[in-house]
């Protein structure tokens, strides 16, 4: 039970991380100031600040968020180019869509990974079907099959 909970939390954490990373990277690329990148909600467990951004791990691991300057409609806009609300509709749309877009990329990578890794092919699929043994008094023995016979149909 505990293994299932831990596995669930790790997988959900990875999905959330890549989703929020999509928003984060596009916002930074466009030039929007990101104030906080958080995995989880609630009280901060651990975190550090680098540049204008606080990176944190929070107590409730069922989500995450990227807090951008000027994103909250209750905040008055200063008209600065680094504010989310001051950017064009197309730029804001790109920031919003990059979260789900990263989830799509992650799905394609994880679904495609087994095909690139290859797999071990069972020997019976690579070799011809040849009789290796026959049990005494079996239907095969009564039919006249012998060890080494090749099955062709």
């Amino acid at each position: 039970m505990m293994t299932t909970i831990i596995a669930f939390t790790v997988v959900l954490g990875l999905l959330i991380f890549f989703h929020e990373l999509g928003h984060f990277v596009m916002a930074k690329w466009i030039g929007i100031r990101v104030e906080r990148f958080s995995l989880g909600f609630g009280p901060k467990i651990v975190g550090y600040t680098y540049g204008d951004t606080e990176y944190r791990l929070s107590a409730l691991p069922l989500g995450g968020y990227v807090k951008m300057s000027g994103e909250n409609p209750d905040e008055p806009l200063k008209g600065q180019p680094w504010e989310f609300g001051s950017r064009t509709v197309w730029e804001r749309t790109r920031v919003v869509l990059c979260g789900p877009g990263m989830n799509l990329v992650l799905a394609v990578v994880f679904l495609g990974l087994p095909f690139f890794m290859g797999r071990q092919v069972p020997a019976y699929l690579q070799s011809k079907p040849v009789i290796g043994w026959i049990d005494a008094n079996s239907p095969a023995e009564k039919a006249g099959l012998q060890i080494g016979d090749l099955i062709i149909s």
Side-chain angles (χ1 to χ4, degrees), residues 6-26:
I6 292 170
F8 173 78
T9 304
V10 168
V11 170
L12 185 64
L14 283 172
L15 291 172
I16 292 166
F17 173 76
F18 280 101
H19 178 90
E20 298 304 333
L21 186 65
H23 296 307
F24 176 81
V25 168
M26 183 54 72

Side-chain angles (χ1 to χ4, degrees), residues 9-66:
T9 304
V10 168
V11 170
L12 185 64
L14 283 172
L15 291 172
I16 292 166
F17 173 76
F18 280 101
H19 178 90
E20 298 304 333
L21 186 65
H23 296 307
F24 176 81
V25 168
M26 183 54 72
K28 287 286 201 178
W29 188 35
I30 289 174
I32 297 171
R33 180 179 293 163
V34 177
E35 295 174 4
R36 186 174 302 124
F37 182 98
S38 178
L39 284 178
F41 298 114
K44 176 173 76 170
I45 295 173
V46 65
Y48 70 96
T49 302
Y50 180 77
D52 293 329
T53 307
E54 176 191 9
Y55 301 89
R56 64 162 50 178
L57 183 62
S58 298
L60 188 61
L62 297 175
Y65 63 96
V66 172

